Amino acid sequence: MDNQQTVSTAGSVSVPPASVEKHHKYEFFKVVQGYLDEAARVIDLPEYIKTILSQPKNEIIINFPVKMDDGSIRLFKGYRVQHNNLLGPYKGGIRYHEGVSLDDVKALAAMMTWKCALMNLPLGGGKGGVKFDPNKVSRDELQRITRRFFHALGSNIGPDTDIPAPDVGTDAKAMAWAMDTYMNTVGSLFRQSVKGVVTGKPVACGGTLGREKATGQGLVYCIQEWAEERDFQLGGATLIVQGFGNVGSFTSLILSRLGASTIAVGDHTGYLYNPEGFNPHKLQDYVKKNRSIAGYPGGKHISREEFFKIKADIFIPAALENQVGIDEAKALNVKLVAEGANGPCSPEGERILIDRGIDILPDVLANAGGVTVSYYEWVQNKRSEHWTLEEVDERLEKAMQRAYREVVEVARQKKCSMRVAAYAVALQRIAAAYGERDIFP
Ligand SMILES: NC(=O)C1=CN([C@@H]2O[C@H](COP(=O)(O)OP(=O)(O)OC[C@H]3O[C@@H](n4cnc5c(N)ncnc54)[C@H](O)[C@@H]3O)[C@@H](O)[C@H]2O)C=CC1
Ligand SMILES: O=C(O)CCC(=O)C(=O)O
């Protein structure tokens, strides 16, 4: 295969040439590093640990060719960033999106390190992505892109090395292709069945019950904790939801069972408003068939600006990073922003929300249900077990409640934001592990 790989391993092996990435307008990795700095100050993190965590361990960039339906060969750029594996194998999703860049993937990989540590999972942080628009390729092309990418990743991933999962633009089907590719290449060398090389697989090929809805389910458990603390009734509450893919649609659906209604939704094609509330089942089915909310009957078309001004109780950002900047934060007319997406609020946006008294459930806590159930899937694969949905949900509920309460307690003690507190809890766990190892004798 005609693949080019650039692998850098901090402190050893090869140092890659200076990044050829175009300078990204929103420097997501810098933003995440800013939160790391803040949390490090709050807990007095030893400087050497901050130094180690300030860059990922490995940044893998792969240019790989794929045959398209018209017979042409197109070159794709894929990334896998392995941020830290102190607590366990690298873990994190694979994103297919036209905007994917090394900077984004680095930021998202670092966030996986904090998320797994916060949830007390024996996993580290990683993230991957391929830069293309999955809505503009056929199903067959999507399969060939996935198989070529995972073939090229080769033994850089593995059930005890680095375990990918779905993220924006990927789903259970993509994970089935990924697992099959791995099993027929690297896996076959060891003659081993290695289902645990990816999570978020279809249940029929080793996935767990409850993973598809897990991020939305975890977000709802978190929102329920917030509601209980505030004596806020979710029955009758109103939501606005940006992004109606996996996370947005399941959050809307699960909250509807608690009596909350989604009155506005938006995605990459536009925004819709329905003061009577959308039917989340019907809308989810429509999006599964049509790949977007475009053309869905029963809602009034509104602009993005109008969407952010709608009066509601809760805003669920479930699309991409940097969606709530200064203007959106000034416009939002809600009590709570529950971050389903990773990095939806810019630091400036967050500051304005806090000043306006709007609560924020930060991403590394709020959307950690996905990776937590991915961990359950990995454990089931290792033990050759099948857990019931009730067992998965019960464990997830307890895990989210524990993490929520821990973060609230640190935020109270240290008088810091929930986000900084979430980072602080994660960093304390990482610092304890580094401390015990005496890595610089
Ligand atoms: N899938 C998972 O288990 C987890 C996902 N997340 C995060 O949640 C967010 C959403 O992920 P998924 O639901 O998995 O992806 P998805 O691909 O299923 O859905 C993404 C949604 O965002 C919308 N979108 C894309 N660009 C947009 C734009 N410019 N403006 C408005 N909407 C736009 C899409 O139309 C789609 O509705 C991402 O930030 C992801 O990293 C976080 C934890 C786990
Ligand atoms: O389930 C996983 O391993 C990854 C989830 C993920 O990518 C995320 O939490 O952002």
Side-chain angles (χ1 to χ4, degrees):
M1 284 222 184
D2 183 18
N3 300 316
Q4 302 166 14
Q5 285 202 19
T6 310
V7 180
S8 79
T9 306
S12 64
V13 202
S14 64
V15 177
S19 171
V20 291
E21 287 297 300
K22 241 177 57 193
H23 195 66
H24 203 244
K25 270 193 295 196
Y26 182 69
E27 293 178 284
F28 193 10
F29 185 63
K30 247 191 198 168
V31 168
V32 172
Q33 290 306 104
Y35 296 129
L36 168 65
D37 290 346
E38 227 177 308
R41 271 195 301 276
V42 164
I43 61 159
D44 252 330
L45 185 76
E47 197 57 32
Y48 81 94
I49 297 179
K50 210 177 91 181
T51 303
I52 294 170
L53 297 173
S54 69
Q55 287 293 331
K57 218 164 175 184
N58 303 310
E59 298 169 23
I60 302 166
I61 304 178
I62 303 169
N63 296 303
F64 60 101
V66 177
K67 190 170 185 174
M68 307 308 282
D69 289 347
D70 66 2
S72 66
I73 303 296
R74 185 171 150 195
L75 201 60
F76 287 81
K77 190 178 277 290
Y79 304 90
R80 184 71 187 172
V81 171
Q82 299 171 329
H83 180 261
N84 188 275
N85 63 350
L86 174 79
L87 299 178
Y90 304 106
K91 184 88 190 80
I94 299 278
R95 178 173 291 196
Y96 289 169
H97 192 272
E98 61 199 335
V100 162
S101 72
L102 180 60
D103 180 79
D104 295 343
V105 181
K106 281 173 68 175
L108 292 162
M111 288 173 70
M112 289 309 302
T113 300
W114 323 138
K115 209 180 286 185
C116 292
L118 168 63
M119 297 308 293
N120 210 4
L121 306 177
L123 296 168
K127 199 86 176 194
V130 182
K131 185 178 168 55
F132 76 105
D133 183 348
N135 295 311
K136 291 190 179 149
V137 300
S138 72
R139 196 83 187 139
D140 285 349
E141 287 171 335
L142 197 64
Q143 176 168 180
R144 292 198 292 275
I145 293 163
T146 303
R147 287 187 181 277
R148 277 275 175 168
F149 181 50
F150 277 85
H151 187 280
L153 279 174
S155 60
N156 287 298
I157 62 165
D160 294 306
T161 314
D162 181 356
I163 307 142
D167 189 70
V168 174
T170 53
D171 58 9
K173 189 71 186 163
M175 293 306 114
W177 295 329
M179 180 189 74
D180 188 64
T181 305
Y182 182 86
M183 279 195 184
N184 285 306
T185 51
V186 184
S188 72
L189 295 176
F190 305 108
R191 296 168 194 260
Q192 281 170 358
S193 170
V194 276
K195 286 182 195 160
V197 64
V198 289
T199 59
K201 302 177 289 285
V203 175
C205 57
T208 182
L209 294 168
R211 174 60 185 89
E212 197 188 9
K213 64 160 184 153
T215 308
Q217 182 69 72
L219 187 57
V220 174
Y221 287 141
C222 230
I223 293 171
Q224 284 180 293
E225 286 297 298
W226 170 86
E228 205 176 301
E229 257 192 339
R230 301 281 181 289
D231 216 4
F232 175 84
Q233 296 305 313
L234 286 168
T238 50
L239 326 168
I240 59 171
V241 182
Q242 188 201 36
F244 212 77
N246 175 287
V247 178
S249 67
F250 277 108
T251 307
S252 165
L253 208 148
I254 298 165
L255 280 172
S256 77
R257 292 189 195 127
L258 302 176
S261 69
T262 298
I263 58 168
V265 289
D267 72 2
H268 66 286
T269 61
Y271 291 81
L272 292 173
Y273 176 55
N274 180 352
E276 305 305 319
F278 290 94
N279 179 328
H281 291 276
K282 282 192 183 156
L283 188 52
Q284 190 185 53
D285 284 349
Y286 182 89
V287 170
K288 277 188 179 163
K289 279 192 203 101
N290 298 281
R291 292 178 164 196
S292 76
I293 62 169
Y296 183 75
K300 178 183 161 216
H301 284 272
I302 53 170
S303 67
R304 187 177 184 279
E305 289 70 31
E306 287 169 318
F307 172 84
F308 277 100
K309 284 184 194 152
I310 290 172
K311 183 172 166 48
D313 295 306
I314 304 174
F315 170 45
I316 312 281
L320 299 176
E321 55 278 358
N322 192 25
Q323 292 300 305
V324 181
I326 293 171
D327 293 344
E328 293 82 4
K330 283 182 181 164
L332 275 169
N333 194 356
V334 295
K335 297 182 178 69
L336 174 70
V337 175
E339 294 186 341
N342 284 307
C345 297
S346 73
E348 298 78 17
E350 175 171 30
R351 176 50 42 215
I352 292 168
L353 292 176
I354 292 173
D355 288 348
R356 292 185 57 215
I358 296 173
D359 289 341
I360 303 172
L361 295 179
D363 44 19
V364 292
L365 167 68
N367 69 33
V371 72
T372 302
V373 176
S374 273
Y375 165 64
Y376 301 158
E377 178 173 328
W378 183 67
V379 170
Q380 288 172 72
N381 292 159
K382 276 195 175 294
R383 295 185 187 162
S384 299
E385 287 180 2
H386 294 293
W387 298 358
T388 63
L389 182 59
E390 290 69 32
E391 205 172 340
V392 169
D393 281 350
E394 216 172 283
R395 283 175 191 259
L396 177 63
E397 183 173 16
K398 285 201 185 108
M400 296 305 300
Q401 284 173 345
R402 182 203 50 76
Y404 180 92
R405 289 168 195 173
E406 221 170 344
V407 170
V408 166
E409 183 54 25
V410 170
R412 196 187 55 76
Q413 273 175 20
K414 305 283 184 186
K415 298 187 176 31
C416 63
S417 69
M418 286 279 280
R419 189 181 316 280
V420 170
Y423 273 57
V425 173
L427 284 174
Q428 267 162 345
R429 241 166 230 140
I430 292 167
Y434 273 122
E436 291 293 351
R437 284 190 186 202
D438 294 329
I439 61 168
F440 296 118

